[in-house]
PDB file of all heavy atoms in Angstrom:
ATOM      1  N   SER U   1       0.828  -1.214   0.000  1.00  0.00           N
ATOM      2  CA  SER U   1       0.000   0.000   0.000  1.00  0.00           C
ATOM      3  C   SER U   1       0.855   1.254   0.000  1.00  0.00           C
ATOM      4  O   SER U   1       0.548   2.240  -0.688  1.00  0.00           O
ATOM      5  CB  SER U   1      -0.936   0.003   1.208  1.00  0.00           C
ATOM      6  OG  SER U   1      -1.898  -1.037   1.105  1.00  0.00           O
ATOM      7  N   LEU U   2       1.954   1.241   0.770  1.00  0.00           N
ATOM      8  CA  LEU U   2       2.854   2.390   0.786  1.00  0.00           C
ATOM      9  C   LEU U   2       3.458   2.622  -0.593  1.00  0.00           C
ATOM     10  O   LEU U   2       3.577   3.767  -1.052  1.00  0.00           O
ATOM     11  CB  LEU U   2       3.962   2.169   1.817  1.00  0.00           C
ATOM     12  CG  LEU U   2       3.563   2.197   3.290  1.00  0.00           C
ATOM     13  CD1 LEU U   2       4.760   1.834   4.169  1.00  0.00           C
ATOM     14  CD2 LEU U   2       3.012   3.566   3.678  1.00  0.00           C
ATOM     15  N   LYS U   3       3.853   1.550  -1.259  1.00  0.00           N
ATOM     16  CA  LYS U   3       4.398   1.661  -2.615  1.00  0.00           C
ATOM     17  C   LYS U   3       3.371   2.287  -3.554  1.00  0.00           C
ATOM     18  O   LYS U   3       3.671   3.203  -4.326  1.00  0.00           O
ATOM     19  CB  LYS U   3       4.776   0.278  -3.135  1.00  0.00           C
ATOM     20  CG  LYS U   3       6.110  -0.256  -2.650  1.00  0.00           C
ATOM     21  CD  LYS U   3       7.211   0.202  -3.563  1.00  0.00           C
ATOM     22  CE  LYS U   3       8.489  -0.562  -3.270  1.00  0.00           C
ATOM     23  NZ  LYS U   3       9.579  -0.085  -4.133  1.00  0.00           N
ATOM     24  N   ARG U   4       2.163   1.767  -3.494  1.00  0.00           N
ATOM     25  CA  ARG U   4       1.125   2.247  -4.392  1.00  0.00           C
ATOM     26  C   ARG U   4       0.831   3.727  -4.165  1.00  0.00           C
ATOM     27  O   ARG U   4       0.630   4.491  -5.113  1.00  0.00           O
ATOM     28  CB  ARG U   4      -0.140   1.412  -4.210  1.00  0.00           C
ATOM     29  CG  ARG U   4      -0.053   0.042  -4.857  1.00  0.00           C
ATOM     30  CD  ARG U   4      -1.283  -0.771  -4.571  1.00  0.00           C
ATOM     31  NE  ARG U   4      -1.372  -1.916  -5.478  1.00  0.00           N
ATOM     32  CZ  ARG U   4      -2.045  -3.026  -5.202  1.00  0.00           C
ATOM     33  NH1 ARG U   4      -2.677  -3.143  -4.039  1.00  0.00           N
ATOM     34  NH2 ARG U   4      -2.086  -4.015  -6.068  1.00  0.00           N
ATOM     35  N   GLU U   5       0.777   4.117  -2.912  1.00  0.00           N
ATOM     36  CA  GLU U   5       0.507   5.518  -2.602  1.00  0.00           C
ATOM     37  C   GLU U   5       1.603   6.424  -3.159  1.00  0.00           C
ATOM     38  O   GLU U   5       1.329   7.486  -3.727  1.00  0.00           O
ATOM     39  CB  GLU U   5       0.395   5.701  -1.089  1.00  0.00           C
ATOM     40  CG  GLU U   5      -0.859   5.093  -0.487  1.00  0.00           C
ATOM     41  CD  GLU U   5      -0.808   5.052   1.031  1.00  0.00           C
ATOM     42  OE1 GLU U   5       0.105   5.679   1.618  1.00  0.00           O
ATOM     43  OE2 GLU U   5      -1.658   4.378   1.628  1.00  0.00           O
ATOM     44  N   ALA U   6       2.862   5.998  -3.007  1.00  0.00           N
ATOM     45  CA  ALA U   6       3.976   6.800  -3.511  1.00  0.00           C
ATOM     46  C   ALA U   6       3.951   6.876  -5.032  1.00  0.00           C
ATOM     47  O   ALA U   6       4.157   7.941  -5.629  1.00  0.00           O
ATOM     48  CB  ALA U   6       5.299   6.215  -3.028  1.00  0.00           C
ATOM     49  N   ALA U   7       3.675   5.744  -5.676  1.00  0.00           N
ATOM     50  CA  ALA U   7       3.716   5.703  -7.137  1.00  0.00           C
ATOM     51  C   ALA U   7       2.564   6.481  -7.762  1.00  0.00           C
ATOM     52  O   ALA U   7       2.735   7.152  -8.788  1.00  0.00           O
ATOM     53  CB  ALA U   7       3.687   4.257  -7.613  1.00  0.00           C
ATOM     54  N   ALA U   8       1.398   6.406  -7.156  1.00  0.00           N
ATOM     55  CA  ALA U   8       0.208   7.005  -7.753  1.00  0.00           C
ATOM     56  C   ALA U   8       0.344   8.508  -7.923  1.00  0.00           C
ATOM     57  O   ALA U   8      -0.261   9.096  -8.820  1.00  0.00           O
ATOM     58  CB  ALA U   8      -1.012   6.678  -6.908  1.00  0.00           C
ATOM     59  N   ARG U   9       1.141   9.130  -7.101  1.00  0.00           N
ATOM     60  CA  ARG U   9       1.299  10.589  -7.155  1.00  0.00           C
ATOM     61  C   ARG U   9       2.256  11.041  -8.258  1.00  0.00           C
ATOM     62  O   ARG U   9       2.298  12.227  -8.572  1.00  0.00           O
ATOM     63  CB  ARG U   9       1.830  11.102  -5.811  1.00  0.00           C
ATOM     64  CG  ARG U   9       0.939  10.849  -4.626  1.00  0.00           C
ATOM     65  CD  ARG U   9       1.446  11.597  -3.397  1.00  0.00           C
ATOM     66  NE  ARG U   9       2.794  11.231  -3.011  1.00  0.00           N
ATOM     67  CZ  ARG U   9       3.087  10.282  -2.123  1.00  0.00           C
ATOM     68  NH1 ARG U   9       2.107   9.592  -1.554  1.00  0.00           N
ATOM     69  NH2 ARG U   9       4.333  10.013  -1.792  1.00  0.00           N
ATOM     70  N   GLN U  10       3.036  10.124  -8.811  1.00  0.00           N
ATOM     71  CA  GLN U  10       4.188  10.549  -9.608  1.00  0.00           C
ATOM     72  C   GLN U  10       4.372   9.834 -10.932  1.00  0.00           C
ATOM     73  O   GLN U  10       5.252  10.209 -11.704  1.00  0.00           O
ATOM     74  CB  GLN U  10       5.475  10.318  -8.797  1.00  0.00           C
ATOM     75  CG  GLN U  10       5.468  10.913  -7.401  1.00  0.00           C
ATOM     76  CD  GLN U  10       6.714  10.506  -6.649  1.00  0.00           C
ATOM     77  OE1 GLN U  10       7.799  10.999  -6.921  1.00  0.00           O
ATOM     78  NE2 GLN U  10       6.564   9.580  -5.719  1.00  0.00           N
ATOM     79  N   ALA U  11       3.595   8.804 -11.223  1.00  0.00           N
ATOM     80  CA  ALA U  11       3.928   7.899 -12.320  1.00  0.00           C
ATOM     81  C   ALA U  11       3.683   8.521 -13.688  1.00  0.00           C
ATOM     82  O   ALA U  11       2.640   9.124 -13.933  1.00  0.00           O
ATOM     83  CB  ALA U  11       3.128   6.617 -12.192  1.00  0.00           C
ATOM     84  N   THR U  12       4.630   8.366 -14.591  1.00  0.00           N
ATOM     85  CA  THR U  12       4.484   8.749 -15.991  1.00  0.00           C
ATOM     86  C   THR U  12       4.111   7.547 -16.854  1.00  0.00           C
ATOM     87  O   THR U  12       3.488   7.700 -17.893  1.00  0.00           O
ATOM     88  CB  THR U  12       5.781   9.379 -16.511  1.00  0.00           C
ATOM     89  OG1 THR U  12       6.081  10.528 -15.718  1.00  0.00           O
ATOM     90  CG2 THR U  12       5.674   9.797 -17.965  1.00  0.00           C
ATOM     91  N   VAL U  13       4.521   6.331 -16.432  1.00  0.00           N
ATOM     92  CA  VAL U  13       4.158   5.102 -17.139  1.00  0.00           C
ATOM     93  C   VAL U  13       3.418   4.193 -16.169  1.00  0.00           C
ATOM     94  O   VAL U  13       3.289   4.490 -14.982  1.00  0.00           O
ATOM     95  CB  VAL U  13       5.398   4.399 -17.734  1.00  0.00           C
ATOM     96  CG1 VAL U  13       6.136   5.313 -18.690  1.00  0.00           C
ATOM     97  CG2 VAL U  13       6.339   3.874 -16.641  1.00  0.00           C
ATOM     98  N   ASP U  14       2.938   3.058 -16.678  1.00  0.00           N
ATOM     99  CA  ASP U  14       2.220   2.115 -15.829  1.00  0.00           C
ATOM    100  C   ASP U  14       3.194   1.325 -14.962  1.00  0.00           C
ATOM    101  O   ASP U  14       4.323   1.016 -15.378  1.00  0.00           O
ATOM    102  CB  ASP U  14       1.390   1.164 -16.676  1.00  0.00           C
ATOM    103  CG  ASP U  14       0.116   1.814 -17.201  1.00  0.00           C
ATOM    104  OD1 ASP U  14      -0.208   2.934 -16.760  1.00  0.00           O
ATOM    105  OD2 ASP U  14      -0.564   1.186 -18.036  1.00  0.00           O
ATOM    106  N   ILE U  15       2.750   0.986 -13.754  1.00  0.00           N
ATOM    107  CA  ILE U  15       3.615   0.347 -12.761  1.00  0.00           C
ATOM    108  C   ILE U  15       2.889  -0.825 -12.119  1.00  0.00           C
ATOM    109  O   ILE U  15       1.729  -0.716 -11.719  1.00  0.00           O
ATOM    110  CB  ILE U  15       4.022   1.337 -11.644  1.00  0.00           C
ATOM    111  CG1 ILE U  15       4.670   2.591 -12.211  1.00  0.00           C
ATOM    112  CG2 ILE U  15       4.968   0.664 -10.649  1.00  0.00           C
ATOM    113  CD1 ILE U  15       4.870   3.679 -11.170  1.00  0.00           C
ATOM    114  N   GLY U  16       3.578  -1.938 -12.004  1.00  0.00           N
ATOM    115  CA  GLY U  16       3.138  -3.062 -11.193  1.00  0.00           C
ATOM    116  C   GLY U  16       4.210  -3.378 -10.171  1.00  0.00           C
ATOM    117  O   GLY U  16       5.302  -2.800 -10.190  1.00  0.00           O
ATOM    118  N   PHE U  17       3.927  -4.321  -9.288  1.00  0.00           N
ATOM    119  CA  PHE U  17       4.822  -4.579  -8.164  1.00  0.00           C
ATOM    120  C   PHE U  17       5.028  -6.074  -7.949  1.00  0.00           C
ATOM    121  O   PHE U  17       4.073  -6.862  -7.970  1.00  0.00           O
ATOM    122  CB  PHE U  17       4.251  -3.962  -6.878  1.00  0.00           C
ATOM    123  CG  PHE U  17       4.008  -2.486  -6.987  1.00  0.00           C
ATOM    124  CD1 PHE U  17       2.763  -1.999  -7.336  1.00  0.00           C
ATOM    125  CD2 PHE U  17       5.047  -1.586  -6.785  1.00  0.00           C
ATOM    126  CE1 PHE U  17       2.535  -0.636  -7.470  1.00  0.00           C
ATOM    127  CE2 PHE U  17       4.832  -0.221  -6.918  1.00  0.00           C
ATOM    128  CZ  PHE U  17       3.568   0.257  -7.260  1.00  0.00           C
ATOM    129  N   TRP U  18       6.289  -6.443  -7.716  1.00  0.00           N
ATOM    130  CA  TRP U  18       6.615  -7.769  -7.208  1.00  0.00           C
ATOM    131  C   TRP U  18       6.568  -7.728  -5.680  1.00  0.00           C
ATOM    132  O   TRP U  18       6.895  -6.703  -5.073  1.00  0.00           O
ATOM    133  CB  TRP U  18       8.019  -8.205  -7.637  1.00  0.00           C
ATOM    134  CG  TRP U  18       8.238  -8.354  -9.110  1.00  0.00           C
ATOM    135  CD1 TRP U  18       8.989  -7.543  -9.915  1.00  0.00           C
ATOM    136  CD2 TRP U  18       7.720  -9.376  -9.963  1.00  0.00           C
ATOM    137  NE1 TRP U  18       8.965  -7.995 -11.211  1.00  0.00           N
ATOM    138  CE2 TRP U  18       8.196  -9.122 -11.271  1.00  0.00           C
ATOM    139  CE3 TRP U  18       6.903 -10.493  -9.745  1.00  0.00           C
ATOM    140  CZ2 TRP U  18       7.880  -9.936 -12.363  1.00  0.00           C
ATOM    141  CZ3 TRP U  18       6.581 -11.309 -10.833  1.00  0.00           C
ATOM    142  CH2 TRP U  18       7.067 -11.033 -12.117  1.00  0.00           C
ATOM    143  N   GLY U  19       6.211  -8.843  -5.079  1.00  0.00           N
ATOM    144  CA  GLY U  19       6.347  -8.999  -3.645  1.00  0.00           C
ATOM    145  C   GLY U  19       7.662  -9.673  -3.310  1.00  0.00           C
ATOM    146  O   GLY U  19       8.411 -10.096  -4.201  1.00  0.00           O
ATOM    147  N   GLY U  20       7.941  -9.776  -2.019  1.00  0.00           N
ATOM    148  CA  GLY U  20       9.176 -10.405  -1.580  1.00  0.00           C
ATOM    149  C   GLY U  20       8.919 -11.658  -0.764  1.00  0.00           C
ATOM    150  O   GLY U  20       7.986 -11.709   0.051  1.00  0.00           O
ATOM    151  N   ALA U  21       9.748 -12.679  -0.992  1.00  0.00           N
ATOM    152  CA  ALA U  21       9.731 -13.900  -0.183  1.00  0.00           C
ATOM    153  C   ALA U  21      11.006 -13.919   0.644  1.00  0.00           C
ATOM    154  O   ALA U  21      12.097 -14.171   0.124  1.00  0.00           O
ATOM    155  CB  ALA U  21       9.632 -15.141  -1.059  1.00  0.00           C
ATOM    156  N   ILE U  22      10.882 -13.597   1.917  1.00  0.00           N
ATOM    157  CA  ILE U  22      11.993 -13.613   2.860  1.00  0.00           C
ATOM    158  C   ILE U  22      11.618 -14.565   3.983  1.00  0.00           C
ATOM    159  O   ILE U  22      10.446 -14.961   4.104  1.00  0.00           O
ATOM    160  CB  ILE U  22      12.319 -12.200   3.390  1.00  0.00           C
ATOM    161  CG1 ILE U  22      11.121 -11.603   4.138  1.00  0.00           C
ATOM    162  CG2 ILE U  22      12.743 -11.286   2.236  1.00  0.00           C
ATOM    163  CD1 ILE U  22      11.408 -10.247   4.770  1.00  0.00           C
ATOM    164  N   PRO U  23      12.550 -14.974   4.819  1.00  0.00           N
ATOM    165  CA  PRO U  23      12.204 -15.968   5.849  1.00  0.00           C
ATOM    166  C   PRO U  23      10.983 -15.603   6.679  1.00  0.00           C
ATOM    167  O   PRO U  23      10.125 -16.460   6.954  1.00  0.00           O
ATOM    168  CB  PRO U  23      13.482 -16.034   6.699  1.00  0.00           C
ATOM    169  CG  PRO U  23      14.574 -15.741   5.718  1.00  0.00           C
ATOM    170  CD  PRO U  23      14.002 -14.704   4.796  1.00  0.00           C
ATOM    171  N   SER U  24      10.836 -14.340   7.067  1.00  0.00           N
ATOM    172  CA  SER U  24       9.721 -13.950   7.929  1.00  0.00           C
ATOM    173  C   SER U  24       8.383 -13.889   7.205  1.00  0.00           C
ATOM    174  O   SER U  24       7.328 -13.846   7.852  1.00  0.00           O
ATOM    175  CB  SER U  24      10.014 -12.593   8.582  1.00  0.00           C
ATOM    176  OG  SER U  24      10.107 -11.582   7.591  1.00  0.00           O
ATOM    177  N   SER U  25       8.382 -13.869   5.870  1.00  0.00           N
ATOM    178  CA  SER U  25       7.113 -13.798   5.140  1.00  0.00           C
ATOM    179  C   SER U  25       6.614 -15.156   4.679  1.00  0.00           C
ATOM    180  O   SER U  25       5.485 -15.263   4.175  1.00  0.00           O
ATOM    181  CB  SER U  25       7.238 -12.856   3.942  1.00  0.00           C
ATOM    182  OG  SER U  25       8.100 -13.386   2.946  1.00  0.00           O
ATOM    183  N   LEU U  26       7.414 -16.198   4.839  1.00  0.00           N
ATOM    184  CA  LEU U  26       6.961 -17.531   4.461  1.00  0.00           C
ATOM    185  C   LEU U  26       5.769 -17.931   5.326  1.00  0.00           C
ATOM    186  O   LEU U  26       5.693 -17.587   6.514  1.00  0.00           O
ATOM    187  CB  LEU U  26       8.096 -18.540   4.601  1.00  0.00           C
ATOM    188  CG  LEU U  26       9.332 -18.298   3.721  1.00  0.00           C
ATOM    189  CD1 LEU U  26      10.322 -19.436   3.854  1.00  0.00           C
ATOM    190  CD2 LEU U  26       8.951 -18.074   2.261  1.00  0.00           C
ATOM    191  N   THR U  27       4.853 -18.651   4.716  1.00  0.00           N
ATOM    192  CA  THR U  27       3.532 -19.027   5.251  1.00  0.00           C
ATOM    193  C   THR U  27       2.552 -17.861   5.236  1.00  0.00           C
ATOM    194  O   THR U  27       1.390 -18.024   5.604  1.00  0.00           O
ATOM    195  CB  THR U  27       3.572 -19.643   6.664  1.00  0.00           C
ATOM    196  OG1 THR U  27       3.834 -18.621   7.642  1.00  0.00           O
ATOM    197  CG2 THR U  27       4.618 -20.743   6.781  1.00  0.00           C
ATOM    198  N   HIS U  28       2.985 -16.680   4.760  1.00  0.00           N
ATOM    199  CA  HIS U  28       2.111 -15.510   4.692  1.00  0.00           C
ATOM    200  C   HIS U  28       2.117 -14.898   3.287  1.00  0.00           C
ATOM    201  O   HIS U  28       1.827 -13.709   3.134  1.00  0.00           O
ATOM    202  CB  HIS U  28       2.550 -14.448   5.698  1.00  0.00           C
ATOM    203  CG  HIS U  28       2.665 -14.937   7.101  1.00  0.00           C
ATOM    204  ND1 HIS U  28       1.581 -15.317   7.853  1.00  0.00           N
ATOM    205  CD2 HIS U  28       3.746 -15.128   7.887  1.00  0.00           C
ATOM    206  CE1 HIS U  28       1.985 -15.706   9.051  1.00  0.00           C
ATOM    207  NE2 HIS U  28       3.295 -15.608   9.092  1.00  0.00           N
ATOM    208  N   LEU U  29       2.417 -15.684   2.260  1.00  0.00           N
ATOM    209  CA  LEU U  29       2.567 -15.132   0.921  1.00  0.00           C
ATOM    210  C   LEU U  29       1.227 -14.890   0.227  1.00  0.00           C
ATOM    211  O   LEU U  29       1.084 -13.938  -0.537  1.00  0.00           O
ATOM    212  CB  LEU U  29       3.439 -16.059   0.064  1.00  0.00           C
ATOM    213  CG  LEU U  29       4.877 -16.292   0.556  1.00  0.00           C
ATOM    214  CD1 LEU U  29       5.603 -17.258  -0.362  1.00  0.00           C
ATOM    215  CD2 LEU U  29       5.636 -14.977   0.665  1.00  0.00           C
ATOM    216  N   GLU U  30       0.244 -15.717   0.493  1.00  0.00           N
ATOM    217  CA  GLU U  30      -1.008 -15.603  -0.248  1.00  0.00           C
ATOM    218  C   GLU U  30      -1.726 -14.272  -0.022  1.00  0.00           C
ATOM    219  O   GLU U  30      -2.268 -13.709  -0.988  1.00  0.00           O
ATOM    220  CB  GLU U  30      -1.937 -16.777   0.062  1.00  0.00           C
ATOM    221  CG  GLU U  30      -3.123 -16.834  -0.890  1.00  0.00           C
ATOM    222  CD  GLU U  30      -3.887 -18.150  -0.830  1.00  0.00           C
ATOM    223  OE1 GLU U  30      -3.601 -18.971   0.067  1.00  0.00           O
ATOM    224  OE2 GLU U  30      -4.763 -18.351  -1.695  1.00  0.00           O
ATOM    225  N   PRO U  31      -1.764 -13.721   1.182  1.00  0.00           N
ATOM    226  CA  PRO U  31      -2.416 -12.416   1.333  1.00  0.00           C
ATOM    227  C   PRO U  31      -1.781 -11.318   0.474  1.00  0.00           C
ATOM    228  O   PRO U  31      -2.489 -10.458  -0.062  1.00  0.00           O
ATOM    229  CB  PRO U  31      -2.271 -12.118   2.831  1.00  0.00           C
ATOM    230  CG  PRO U  31      -2.171 -13.458   3.469  1.00  0.00           C
ATOM    231  CD  PRO U  31      -1.395 -14.296   2.499  1.00  0.00           C
ATOM    232  N   LEU U  32      -0.470 -11.350   0.324  1.00  0.00           N
ATOM    233  CA  LEU U  32       0.189 -10.364  -0.530  1.00  0.00           C
ATOM    234  C   LEU U  32      -0.137 -10.625  -2.003  1.00  0.00           C
ATOM    235  O   LEU U  32      -0.337  -9.688  -2.780  1.00  0.00           O
ATOM    236  CB  LEU U  32       1.697 -10.383  -0.277  1.00  0.00           C
ATOM    237  CG  LEU U  32       2.539  -9.322  -0.966  1.00  0.00           C
ATOM    238  CD1 LEU U  32       2.024  -7.916  -0.699  1.00  0.00           C
ATOM    239  CD2 LEU U  32       4.009  -9.437  -0.536  1.00  0.00           C
ATOM    240  N   HIS U  33      -0.203 -11.884  -2.371  1.00  0.00           N
ATOM    241  CA  HIS U  33      -0.630 -12.245  -3.725  1.00  0.00           C
ATOM    242  C   HIS U  33      -2.034 -11.723  -3.983  1.00  0.00           C
ATOM    243  O   HIS U  33      -2.308 -11.107  -5.029  1.00  0.00           O
ATOM    244  CB  HIS U  33      -0.582 -13.764  -3.876  1.00  0.00           C
ATOM    245  CG  HIS U  33      -1.137 -14.290  -5.171  1.00  0.00           C
ATOM    246  ND1 HIS U  33      -2.456 -14.664  -5.313  1.00  0.00           N
ATOM    247  CD2 HIS U  33      -0.563 -14.496  -6.376  1.00  0.00           C
ATOM    248  CE1 HIS U  33      -2.667 -15.093  -6.543  1.00  0.00           C
ATOM    249  NE2 HIS U  33      -1.542 -14.997  -7.212  1.00  0.00           N
ATOM    250  N   ASP U  34      -2.943 -11.920  -3.037  1.00  0.00           N
ATOM    251  CA  ASP U  34      -4.319 -11.464  -3.200  1.00  0.00           C
ATOM    252  C   ASP U  34      -4.403  -9.939  -3.253  1.00  0.00           C
ATOM    253  O   ASP U  34      -5.338  -9.386  -3.853  1.00  0.00           O
ATOM    254  CB  ASP U  34      -5.190 -11.993  -2.060  1.00  0.00           C
ATOM    255  CG  ASP U  34      -5.370 -13.504  -2.115  1.00  0.00           C
ATOM    256  OD1 ASP U  34      -5.116 -14.096  -3.185  1.00  0.00           O
ATOM    257  OD2 ASP U  34      -5.751 -14.096  -1.085  1.00  0.00           O
ATOM    258  N   ALA U  35      -3.437  -9.260  -2.640  1.00  0.00           N
ATOM    259  CA  ALA U  35      -3.404  -7.798  -2.659  1.00  0.00           C
ATOM    260  C   ALA U  35      -2.922  -7.249  -3.996  1.00  0.00           C
ATOM    261  O   ALA U  35      -3.046  -6.043  -4.245  1.00  0.00           O
ATOM    262  CB  ALA U  35      -2.526  -7.273  -1.526  1.00  0.00           C
ATOM    263  N   GLY U  36      -2.351  -8.110  -4.856  1.00  0.00           N
ATOM    264  CA  GLY U  36      -2.074  -7.666  -6.218  1.00  0.00           C
ATOM    265  C   GLY U  36      -0.645  -7.682  -6.697  1.00  0.00           C
ATOM    266  O   GLY U  36      -0.353  -7.084  -7.731  1.00  0.00           O
ATOM    267  N   VAL U  37       0.278  -8.363  -5.996  1.00  0.00           N
ATOM    268  CA  VAL U  37       1.626  -8.461  -6.555  1.00  0.00           C
ATOM    269  C   VAL U  37       1.636  -9.515  -7.664  1.00  0.00           C
ATOM    270  O   VAL U  37       0.781 -10.396  -7.725  1.00  0.00           O
ATOM    271  CB  VAL U  37       2.679  -8.798  -5.474  1.00  0.00           C
ATOM    272  CG1 VAL U  37       2.737  -7.708  -4.421  1.00  0.00           C
ATOM    273  CG2 VAL U  37       2.424 -10.162  -4.843  1.00  0.00           C
ATOM    274  N   PHE U  38       2.617  -9.417  -8.539  1.00  0.00           N
ATOM    275  CA  PHE U  38       2.709 -10.305  -9.684  1.00  0.00           C
ATOM    276  C   PHE U  38       3.427 -11.617  -9.374  1.00  0.00           C
ATOM    277  O   PHE U  38       3.400 -12.547 -10.170  1.00  0.00           O
ATOM    278  CB  PHE U  38       3.423  -9.592 -10.841  1.00  0.00           C
ATOM    279  CG  PHE U  38       2.584  -8.549 -11.490  1.00  0.00           C
ATOM    280  CD1 PHE U  38       2.483  -7.284 -10.950  1.00  0.00           C
ATOM    281  CD2 PHE U  38       1.855  -8.833 -12.628  1.00  0.00           C
ATOM    282  CE1 PHE U  38       1.684  -6.317 -11.543  1.00  0.00           C
ATOM    283  CE2 PHE U  38       1.052  -7.880 -13.233  1.00  0.00           C
ATOM    284  CZ  PHE U  38       0.963  -6.615 -12.682  1.00  0.00           C
ATOM    285  N   GLY U  39       4.095 -11.663  -8.268  1.00  0.00           N
ATOM    286  CA  GLY U  39       4.867 -12.826  -7.874  1.00  0.00           C
ATOM    287  C   GLY U  39       5.788 -12.416  -6.748  1.00  0.00           C
ATOM    288  O   GLY U  39       5.668 -11.306  -6.199  1.00  0.00           O
ATOM    289  N   PHE U  40       6.743 -13.277  -6.426  1.00  0.00           N
ATOM    290  CA  PHE U  40       7.555 -13.091  -5.233  1.00  0.00           C
ATOM    291  C   PHE U  40       9.032 -13.272  -5.555  1.00  0.00           C
ATOM    292  O   PHE U  40       9.434 -14.302  -6.105  1.00  0.00           O
ATOM    293  CB  PHE U  40       7.130 -14.086  -4.150  1.00  0.00           C
ATOM    294  CG  PHE U  40       5.717 -13.881  -3.706  1.00  0.00           C
ATOM    295  CD1 PHE U  40       4.664 -14.457  -4.414  1.00  0.00           C
ATOM    296  CD2 PHE U  40       5.426 -13.075  -2.618  1.00  0.00           C
ATOM    297  CE1 PHE U  40       3.350 -14.244  -4.028  1.00  0.00           C
ATOM    298  CE2 PHE U  40       4.121 -12.859  -2.227  1.00  0.00           C
ATOM    299  CZ  PHE U  40       3.079 -13.443  -2.932  1.00  0.00           C
ATOM    300  N   LYS U  41       9.808 -12.276  -5.181  1.00  0.00           N
ATOM    301  CA  LYS U  41      11.245 -12.362  -5.391  1.00  0.00           C
ATOM    302  C   LYS U  41      11.929 -12.948  -4.166  1.00  0.00           C
ATOM    303  O   LYS U  41      11.628 -12.576  -3.029  1.00  0.00           O
ATOM    304  CB  LYS U  41      11.848 -10.987  -5.684  1.00  0.00           C
ATOM    305  CG  LYS U  41      13.365 -11.065  -5.940  1.00  0.00           C
ATOM    306  CD  LYS U  41      13.943  -9.754  -6.384  1.00  0.00           C
ATOM    307  CE  LYS U  41      15.415  -9.942  -6.770  1.00  0.00           C
ATOM    308  NZ  LYS U  41      16.018  -8.698  -7.292  1.00  0.00           N
ATOM    309  N   ALA U  42      12.880 -13.840  -4.428  1.00  0.00           N
ATOM    310  CA  ALA U  42      13.700 -14.404  -3.366  1.00  0.00           C
ATOM    311  C   ALA U  42      15.164 -14.335  -3.763  1.00  0.00           C
ATOM    312  O   ALA U  42      15.510 -14.518  -4.933  1.00  0.00           O
ATOM    313  CB  ALA U  42      13.312 -15.852  -3.094  1.00  0.00           C
ATOM    314  N   PHE U  43      16.011 -14.078  -2.792  1.00  0.00           N
ATOM    315  CA  PHE U  43      17.458 -14.207  -2.944  1.00  0.00           C
ATOM    316  C   PHE U  43      17.884 -15.527  -2.341  1.00  0.00           C
ATOM    317  O   PHE U  43      17.393 -15.920  -1.272  1.00  0.00           O
ATOM    318  CB  PHE U  43      18.183 -13.068  -2.215  1.00  0.00           C
ATOM    319  CG  PHE U  43      18.339 -11.809  -3.014  1.00  0.00           C
ATOM    320  CD1 PHE U  43      17.254 -10.975  -3.215  1.00  0.00           C
ATOM    321  CD2 PHE U  43      19.557 -11.458  -3.557  1.00  0.00           C
ATOM    322  CE1 PHE U  43      17.385  -9.800  -3.947  1.00  0.00           C
ATOM    323  CE2 PHE U  43      19.710 -10.287  -4.289  1.00  0.00           C
ATOM    324  CZ  PHE U  43      18.618  -9.461  -4.486  1.00  0.00           C
ATOM    325  N   LEU U  44      18.823 -16.187  -2.985  1.00  0.00           N
ATOM    326  CA  LEU U  44      19.401 -17.407  -2.421  1.00  0.00           C
ATOM    327  C   LEU U  44      20.767 -17.143  -1.822  1.00  0.00           C
ATOM    328  O   LEU U  44      21.388 -18.069  -1.284  1.00  0.00           O
ATOM    329  CB  LEU U  44      19.477 -18.495  -3.494  1.00  0.00           C
ATOM    330  CG  LEU U  44      18.135 -18.848  -4.154  1.00  0.00           C
ATOM    331  CD1 LEU U  44      18.285 -20.054  -5.060  1.00  0.00           C
ATOM    332  CD2 LEU U  44      17.031 -19.070  -3.122  1.00  0.00           C
ATOM    333  N   SER U  45      21.241 -15.899  -1.897  1.00  0.00           N
ATOM    334  CA  SER U  45      22.470 -15.447  -1.251  1.00  0.00           C
ATOM    335  C   SER U  45      22.178 -14.055  -0.703  1.00  0.00           C
ATOM    336  O   SER U  45      21.156 -13.453  -1.040  1.00  0.00           O
ATOM    337  CB  SER U  45      23.624 -15.408  -2.261  1.00  0.00           C
ATOM    338  OG  SER U  45      23.304 -14.554  -3.346  1.00  0.00           O
TER     339      SER U  45
END
């Protein structure tokens, strides 16, 4: 929501958002998916 609020005020082109998969967000990914992210980024290092 914070991202969307910041982008909506300033965007010249269309914008979508990836979500993040970090240790603390595991088992909680679906609510973020339902909120409208396109998928989830993870680092393996």
Side-chain angles (χ1 to χ4, degrees):
S1 293
L2 290 175
K3 279 272 192 182
R4 284 176 164 156
E5 289 169 11
R9 298 190 301 267
Q10 308 174 74
T12 301
V13 302
D14 283 350
I15 305 170
F17 303 95
W18 297 109
I22 61 176
S24 64
S25 68
L26 298 185
T27 74
H28 306 292
L29 299 178
E30 191 167 9
L32 186 53
H33 174 268
D34 292 342
V37 298
F38 287 82
F40 297 85
K41 181 173 186 177
F43 274 75
L44 303 188
S45 58

